Amino acid sequence: MGHGGRRMTHAQIAETITVLEGLHYRRDVQTTLRTEFDRRLYGRREEIRQGVVREGRGIALLGASGSGKSTVIEHLLKRHPELVLPDPGRERADVISFRVPSPASLKEVGRTALTALGYDLKRDRSATIIWGIVRELLQKRQTLFLHIDEVQDLKTSQSKQVIQNVINTLKSLMQHPEWPISIILSGMPEVRKMLNFDPQLARRFYPIALRPLSFTGDEEMLRDMVGSYLHKAALPPSSGIYTDEVLMRLLHAGAYEFGIVIEIIIAGIGEALMAGSDCLLLEHFAMAFRRRTGCYDGLNPFLAPDYRDIDPRKLFPEWED
Ligand SMILES: Nc1ncnc2c1ncn2[C@@H]1O[C@H](COP(=O)(O)OP(=O)(O)OP(=O)(O)O)[C@@H](O)[C@H]1O
Ligand SMILES: [Mg+2]
């Protein structure tokens, strides 16, 4: 992918960026998640082998938008050597994964689960019937895990009653007398309220947090992240890029979230390549951020003196009131 000062074509730049976007940067939380997942996977398989039934347990993976929840779970499931993933030609599916639909009534969640299980619901049915079919299909397909993403969407405009109904349904899947399953929930930090709302549910989940990054705790990783992506793009850094000041601005621009920081690193590299620059400069990060949010320079965390006051998640920030 070397380009030694020559201007790359749009197609070449697109190729490089797509490669960068496809990279998976390893992080510690993957190991925790994998360990907890495997504990349940192998435990359950052994129980099935010995013909014993224990109730399922869950994992709750919570983090802000851009923390990398969906990615870390997708990576876990797709790279697991011993998992049978859903495949139209095969009945067995160890894991079924779906997102909470909108609007998120008990019935709509059930209907989405059915679709994920490959079942085509031809007529309108009640929530009770739909969840009955879900339960049967989970058993028929020998599913061990149900992964539900965007769980915070259950809460939007819902009464406590609806949430309690969903919770009860999830609990009943985990406690099913013949075919209990484990549930993986991922979503925004407010999902903890839903879990804590019911102590019986809370004690069945192993919590994993995707915490915001901090300069003190993650400085080394941050340098390594920038370095790895530059290396892959065969683009050298400018001497200023690795200063604490620039890295702190990068963290702030990425809202202290792992995934957003990566997106900005990649976008900065994209700007450097577009400009035909022979190294990555602060101005490329600034340009990437401007593109991302539509902000003017006074509200650009790479340029503004008092960047800590800027909310980096907002589009068109100058029109905020
Ligand atoms: N380990 C990783 N390596 C490389 N890129 C990553 C990694 N984790 C996340 N990303 C990137 O960060 C961005 C945000 O990740 P992701 O969509 O998984 O976050 P999320 O927590 O699910 O956010 P949301 O709550 O908005 O759905 C994506 O562009 C993703 O490709
Ligand atoms: Mg997500």
Side-chain angles (χ1 to χ4, degrees):
M1 231 181 282
H3 36 86
R6 265 181 304 116
R7 231 186 164 83
M8 292 165 84
T9 64
H10 278 291
Q12 286 169 326
I13 295 172
E15 185 190 342
T16 302
I17 295 302
T18 308
V19 169
L20 298 185
E21 285 171 348
L23 292 180
H24 184 85
Y25 189 91
R26 263 206 81 76
R27 55 195 302 198
D28 294 346
V29 74
Q30 274 171 239
T31 315
T32 317
L33 179 63
R34 174 69 186 264
T35 307
E36 288 309 316
F37 182 85
D38 279 356
R39 212 174 257 186
R40 285 157 184 77
L41 174 67
Y42 296 115
R44 191 66 186 104
R45 283 189 179 158
E46 187 52 29
E47 285 159 23
I48 294 169
R49 206 181 62 82
Q50 295 188 21
V52 289
V53 179
R54 291 239 175 73
E55 66 178 47
R57 295 269 155 161
I59 296 173
L61 181 75
L62 305 195
S65 180
S67 59
K69 304 175 289 290
S70 304
T71 307
V72 90
I73 292 192
E74 190 187 307
H75 189 264
L76 166 80
L77 302 181
K78 290 217 171 124
R79 302 285 179 89
H80 200 297
E82 288 186 37
L83 269 189
V84 178
L85 296 180
D87 171 348
R90 190 162 183 186
E91 180 146 276
R92 186 175 146 201
D94 288 340
V95 190
I96 295 290
S97 193
F98 67 91
R99 286 165 168 231
V100 168
S102 175
S105 60
L106 182 61
K107 183 165 152 179
E108 284 310 315
V109 175
R111 207 203 282 271
T112 311
L114 277 186
T115 308
L117 280 155
Y119 185 89
D120 187 16
L121 192 67
K122 299 232 165 47
R123 288 171 36 200
D124 191 29
R125 299 283 191 181
S126 71
T128 314
I129 291 179
I130 288 176
W131 279 101
I133 307 174
V134 169
R135 238 185 311 259
E136 269 171 40
L137 283 176
L138 288 171
Q139 182 160 7
K140 186 155 155 259
R141 300 200 65 179
Q142 295 165 268
T143 302
L144 308 177
F145 293 90
L146 198 59
H147 164 229
I148 312 181
D149 199 5
E150 311 282 9
V151 177
Q152 73 282 350
D153 286 352
L154 278 177
K155 231 188 59 194
T156 41
S157 75
Q158 298 290 3
S159 66
K160 282 222 157 69
Q161 190 55 53
V162 174
I163 297 175
Q164 190 62 60
N165 289 343
V166 174
I167 288 175
N168 290 344
T169 305
L170 296 183
K171 272 201 299 203
S172 77
L173 290 178
M174 294 167 90
Q175 296 172 325
H176 193 266
E178 277 169 52
W179 193 261
I181 58 156
S182 291
I183 293 182
I184 304 173
L185 300 178
S186 49
M188 306 268 278
E190 65 253 35
V191 170
R192 77 186 186 284
K193 288 186 205 148
M194 193 187 113
L195 292 167
N196 289 334
F197 186 63
D198 182 337
Q200 282 193 314
L201 189 70
R203 78 166 184 88
R204 287 176 169 78
F205 277 84
Y206 180 91
I208 299 180
L210 288 181
R211 294 204 172 76
L213 306 179
S214 74
F215 188 71
T216 349
D218 301 300
E219 180 186 346
E220 210 176 309
M221 180 180 74
L222 197 59
R223 287 181 197 281
D224 183 69
M225 281 157 89
V226 176
S228 311
Y229 281 91
L230 282 173
H231 179 75
K232 195 72 189 180
L235 185 72
S238 67
S239 54
I241 284 298
Y242 289 118
T243 58
D244 291 1
E245 176 71 15
V246 171
L247 293 173
M248 281 192 235
R249 286 173 183 268
L250 172 61
L251 258 189
H252 189 86
Y256 301 88
E257 295 301 340
F258 182 89
I260 305 180
V261 169
I262 289 186
E263 286 182 353
I264 293 176
I265 294 172
I266 296 174
I269 292 174
E271 296 298 338
L273 298 180
M274 288 297 268
S277 170
D278 54 12
C279 65
L280 177 71
L281 299 162
L282 176 69
E283 68 186 67
H284 300 128
F285 276 146
M287 221 180 290
F289 192 84
R290 193 179 298 134
R291 280 246 158 83
R292 192 181 168 92
T293 65
C295 71
Y296 77 110
D297 290 352
L299 287 177
N300 190 321
F302 290 104
L303 303 173
D306 49 354
Y307 67 93
R308 284 190 177 83
D309 300 334
I310 298 170
D311 180 348
R313 291 189 186 266
K314 293 267 158 54
L315 301 185
F316 307 111
E318 59 263 42
W319 288 329
E320 276 298 303
D321 34 32

